[in-house]
Amino acid sequence: MIDIKKEIQKDRRAFIKNVLGGTIAGSLLLVIPAGSNAVEIPEQLPGMRDEDSVFTKKNFVFIVDVTACIGCGSCCVADKNEYNVPDGNYRTWVERYIIDDHDEVYVDSPNGGLDGYTEPRTDIPFPVRDTFFVPKLCNMCEKPSCVQVCPVGATYKTEDGFILIDKDRCVGCGYCIQACPYSVRYLNPVTRTADKCTWCYHRVRKGLLPACVNVCPVHARKFGDLNDKKSEVYKLLREPHVISVLKPGMGNKPALHYLGLRREVV
Amino acid sequence: MSVAAHGETAAAVANYIFPNDLHVHWSLMIVLYPYITGIVAGAFIVSSLYHVFHIKELKPIARFSLLFALAFLICATWPLLNHLGHPERAMSMMLTPNPTSAMAGFGYIYSAYMIVLLLEILFLYRPTVVALKKQTSGFMRTLYGILSVGSDNVSEKALRLDHKIISFLAAIGIPMACVLHGYVGFIFGGIKANPLWATPLMPLIFLLSACVSGIAGIIVAYTLIMKFTGQPLDVNCIRTCVKFLWGFFILDFVFEMLELFSHFYMATHHWHTLEALYSGPLYVSFWVLQVGVFSVIPFFLLMALSLVNWNDKVIAFFAPIVSVMILCQVLLMRWNVVVGGQLMSKSERGATTFHPQWLEKEGILPAIIIMVAPIVILWIIGKILPFWQKDDPAAQQAG
């Protein structure tokens, strides 16, 4: 072990020089932005970082496993942090379903499930038969009503299936909010334009999973490329599983699928 | 209502609404928008009944109806602009429209209709404007010069040509008025996500209620102006208006009820939601007010006024009263459709509430200002173009 006192006594001037130099060098590392490769996050979506065209040839789908969700609200927290979503508006939320033995269905989603479901409901008059959680987010419809009705084309569909909003074009008329059968849209009070979940397009373009998928502790949210036969989503959708979409009668053909979806869910 | 309270409310009444459905996005301004365009379309139709269908009794109000329509048409975009999050981008709807959007057509239809209406007024008032130009000086003379578009020719031949153009404009104006308001109905009727709106009958109901509100508006304006200026009322004209009002109102009311009855009879899963809405949040504004007070009572009043040969005083007294009731009926109908439709959550499990505030951006006070504005504009127009034949120098010369 180096005896500090001895070192200092040996050459006080050199010691101070070294300490100062080290401090300045260390501070500079904090001030000068590190290159994007400095902290390399491993690619979560295979092949995305090799994509160089504007639109990928991928066919992204989102699968929510209703049987796995524990209603912890991590996805909602991650989403709110990722987008700084104004209070009272929800890009994603988690619903709690409770069915009693008289087949009455009770649904709630206090604060969109942001705080997690830590307390049981106490207002159910009969014994509970079943209970489950259903996370909701943008359905990324193949035939999106919002894109159809937007008067200025501010809401559009990319060739790889994302429905996005150009907040610099949106006039804030709210027609898309009326047209969305799933109520995933809201009028952002800060930008005064329509807003909604994007399946974290900015992350996906960089080969990362959507923020909510990334944080889900029980892997209830799954995201991937249906064209990739090795992907989990391909296997789930191509193999015999109980899979459905929300409001199929609307004819919007969502790319958001639900594993183990129950008929009580709207 | 705070966000946390939303969860409590939802839990308390076993009434779940999607978290983004708590807020009613289309409020008073979007209630006024179809109301105002409806009055425009209806007033135009009153004028066309004279100019195209030659209902002679309506002559005293034929020109006034057009000016009345113009005053309201000028204000039709105001509630929309007040509603938009970015009104400065409103012109994008016309410059870079999305062809699949039902809303994108409004700018074009509105503009085309405005052009037809202005042209018809200019041709109709051309002899008047020429005569007034000779009588006035200074600013008013310049103004009449602009309004006569540089032509002082009021020869019999020129007037005959004018008459042909007026008939043509009035004739194409009828389908345009129908398109204007049928289209407004379609903006709502084309929204499949909302079971209250999504019905092919919506454009028809909007159109019929437009005719009704326009005729009623004309009756009220005509009788009030005559009363306050101490001029004699043409009761025959009012009688004819009342008959048309009754006719259109029969169709309007019957279709409104048929639409509801069809939902009830088909009893799809949407009816479950609609039933809860009509028996809950809309019970008073729909059943009690729109249907009970302001439809059934005017229906029988109009029937009595049309079928029984009352003396002039009775007609002059009851016609404006029943017209005001009809105007209330149509306003309530707009409210129940526009706001009512948004009260239901798309969760199909509950309804939110909506109480307009007085001073907010889209509140009651701005709504009152926007409804008073057309009356002020009409008063200004009245200073330039005479409403009635007896104030018209050209008509006096001819007569």
Side-chain angles (χ1 to χ4, degrees):
Chain A
M1 200 177 150
I2 307 162
D3 189 340
I4 295 265
K5 273 187 179 166
K6 256 187 187 169
E7 283 287 313
I8 295 171
Q9 277 162 3
K10 211 162 71 186
D11 188 350
R12 189 175 288 263
R13 189 177 293 261
F15 177 80
I16 292 170
K17 236 184 208 172
N18 283 343
V19 170
L20 260 177
T23 314
I24 292 167
S27 315
L28 277 177
L29 267 182
L30 295 174
V31 177
I32 299 167
S36 59
N37 293 327
V39 189
E40 181 69 67
I41 302 170
E43 192 175 59
Q44 293 172 321
L45 292 160
M48 271 312 278
R49 289 185 185 163
D50 303 328
E51 291 282 350
D52 49 6
S53 55
V54 176
F55 298 120
T56 66
K57 293 276 177 285
K58 299 191 186 308
N59 180 9
F60 288 110
V61 291
F62 202 115
I63 299 178
V64 170
D65 187 350
V66 173
T67 61
C69 180
I70 54 169
C72 65
S74 302
C75 46
C76 303
V77 173
D79 184 81
K80 198 168 172 73
N81 288 342
E82 187 78 21
Y83 297 97
N84 200 13
V85 182
D87 286 347
N89 301 289
Y90 303 89
R91 295 168 76 104
T92 184
W93 68 94
V94 177
E95 296 168 354
R96 168 168 63 181
Y97 279 72
I98 296 172
I99 306 172
D100 71 12
D101 68 356
H102 282 57
D103 290 339
E104 273 305 318
V105 183
Y106 302 84
V107 192
D108 67 347
S109 185
N111 203 10
L114 194 68
D115 313 315
Y117 291 89
T118 51
E119 298 293 327
R121 270 181 81 153
T122 51
D123 57 343
I124 314 293
F126 299 107
V128 171
R129 165 162 78 77
D130 197 2
T131 176
F132 52 92
F133 297 101
V134 182
K136 296 274 181 83
L137 62 156
C138 180
N139 283 249
M140 297 291 172
C141 308
E142 191 187 320
K143 296 187 183 306
S145 309
C146 51
V147 173
Q148 182 187 28
V149 303
C150 176
V152 293
T155 284
Y156 58 97
K157 189 178 167 197
T158 69
E159 283 171 28
D160 36 5
F162 289 85
I163 317 298
L164 303 174
I165 301 164
D166 183 346
K167 68 173 175 13
D168 295 327
R169 287 190 71 82
C170 177
V171 294
C173 66
Y175 205 18
C176 56
I177 297 170
Q178 307 293 353
C180 174
Y182 307 102
S183 288
V184 301
R185 289 178 164 250
Y186 59 90
L187 201 76
N188 189 314
V190 181
T191 60
R192 290 177 285 128
T193 55
D195 210 345
K196 71 165 186 74
C197 157
T198 58
W199 285 8
C200 285
Y201 185 70
H202 64 296
R203 286 177 58 93
V204 172
R205 284 300 310 197
K206 290 184 173 159
L208 301 176
L209 286 168
C212 59
V213 177
N214 206 34
V215 299
C216 180
V218 291
H219 198 46
R221 290 178 179 239
K222 304 162 201 292
F223 181 81
D225 174 17
L226 206 55
N227 292 341
D228 175 6
K229 295 190 176 172
K230 281 182 244 152
S231 68
E232 185 189 11
V233 291
Y234 177 85
K235 285 173 190 158
L236 281 171
L237 285 176
R238 290 294 177 266
E239 288 166 6
H241 291 282
V242 179
I243 286 202
S244 187
V245 294
L246 296 172
K247 299 190 180 182
M250 282 290 161
N252 281 33
K253 300 190 176 172
L256 166 65
H257 301 262
Y258 282 87
L259 190 61
L261 189 67
R262 307 281 299 263
R263 65 188 167 90
E264 289 84 2
V265 179
V266 175
Chain B
M1 187 185 286
S2 77
V3 178
H6 159 233
E8 287 156 21
T9 318
V13 293
N15 170 13
Y16 175 63
I17 61 176
F18 284 146
N20 288 329
D21 283 346
L22 189 65
H23 183 68
V24 169
H25 289 281
W26 284 3
S27 59
L28 275 183
M29 292 300 124
I30 309 298
V31 172
L32 290 189
Y33 156 62
Y35 190 54
I36 293 176
T37 52
I39 289 174
V40 173
F44 189 89
I45 282 167
V46 172
S47 163
S48 295
L49 285 174
Y50 171 73
H51 287 119
V52 182
F53 298 104
H54 306 296
I55 312 287
K56 294 268 182 297
E57 292 83 354
L58 296 180
K59 192 180 178 196
I61 54 167
R63 293 200 312 184
F64 171 69
S65 304
L66 288 180
L67 299 179
F68 186 83
L70 178 67
F72 277 87
L73 192 63
I74 288 168
C75 302
T77 54
W78 296 11
L80 296 179
L81 290 171
N82 184 33
H83 163 73
L84 286 186
H86 284 275
E88 76 280 6
R89 298 177 189 163
M91 281 310 284
S92 307
M93 289 201 201
M94 290 183 79
L95 299 175
T96 54
N98 172 15
T100 64
S101 170
M103 194 184 272
F106 180 72
Y108 295 107
I109 294 175
Y110 173 85
S111 310
Y113 188 65
M114 179 70 105
I115 290 167
V116 169
L117 186 61
L118 279 175
L119 281 177
E120 192 177 343
I121 290 172
L122 285 181
F123 275 105
L124 208 54
Y125 272 97
R126 211 175 61 80
T128 312
V129 166
V130 171
L132 284 167
K133 191 178 153 191
K134 285 175 190 153
Q135 291 175 6
T136 50
S137 59
F139 171 73
M140 290 307 277
R141 191 181 168 86
T142 320
L143 184 65
Y144 287 124
I146 295 166
L147 289 177
S148 66
V149 207
S151 168
D152 286 357
N153 184 357
V154 284
S155 67
E156 206 170 305
K157 197 180 158 203
L159 289 182
R160 222 176 312 144
L161 178 66
D162 278 9
H163 186 72
K164 275 186 190 161
I165 295 172
I166 291 163
S167 298
F168 172 73
L169 288 170
I172 62 164
I174 299 170
M176 285 187 76
C178 293
V179 167
L180 175 73
H181 210 70
Y183 164 80
V184 172
F186 178 70
I187 288 181
F188 295 94
I191 295 298
K192 66 180 172 187
N194 190 318
L196 187 84
W197 294 350
T199 158
L201 274 183
M202 198 53 89
L204 182 70
I205 295 173
F206 263 61
L207 187 56
L208 289 168
S209 58
C211 296
V212 162
S213 66
I215 301 170
I218 294 288
I219 295 176
V220 174
Y222 176 58
T223 47
L224 284 185
I225 292 174
M226 287 296 143
K227 188 158 186 67
F228 285 113
T229 55
Q231 297 176 73
L233 200 64
D234 185 332
V235 181
N236 252 346
C237 171
I238 298 288
R239 277 182 214 275
T240 311
C241 283
V242 165
K243 282 193 178 125
F244 275 104
L245 185 56
W246 186 44
F248 278 113
F249 189 62
I250 292 171
L251 293 173
D252 179 35
F253 187 47
V254 164
F255 275 106
E256 279 174 15
M257 292 297 103
L258 266 181
E259 197 264 329
L260 190 62
F261 182 75
S262 302
H263 272 302
F264 160 74
Y265 193 77
M266 292 188 291
T268 63
H269 71 285
H270 291 317
W271 174 247
H272 166 74
T273 329
L274 289 179
E275 192 181 23
L277 183 73
Y278 281 119
S279 59
L282 289 191
Y283 182 78
V284 173
S285 65
F286 182 77
W287 289 115
V288 177
L289 294 175
Q290 185 190 326
V291 175
V293 177
F294 292 110
S295 290
V296 174
I297 296 174
F299 187 89
F300 286 108
L301 268 177
L302 283 170
M303 184 158 73
L305 287 177
S306 303
L307 296 181
V308 182
N309 201 12
W310 302 99
N311 70 36
D312 289 0
K313 275 191 175 162
V314 176
I315 297 285
F317 180 74
F318 278 106
I321 290 176
V322 76
S323 298
V324 167
M325 292 183 86
I326 292 282
L327 283 171
C328 293
Q329 194 269 358
V330 177
L331 185 60
L332 280 161
M333 178 262 185
R334 307 294 191 233
W335 169 277
N336 288 326
V337 170
V338 176
V339 174
Q342 295 171 84
L343 293 180
M344 302 176 291
S345 172
K346 288 164 189 162
S347 69
E348 298 175 11
R349 283 201 158 84
T352 183
T353 52
F354 175 65
H355 303 288
Q357 305 295 309
W358 274 90
L359 293 176
E360 61 192 2
K361 182 182 155 224
E362 297 183 47
I364 301 170
L365 188 66
I368 290 173
I369 292 170
I370 286 172
M371 283 315 290
V372 170
I375 298 164
V376 176
I377 291 172
L378 186 64
W379 177 78
I380 296 169
I381 293 174
K383 295 281 160 203
I384 302 165
L385 300 173
F387 293 155
W388 323 113
Q389 299 283 346
K390 72 167 199 52
D391 306 322
D392 187 340
Q396 280 160 6
Q397 280 162 20

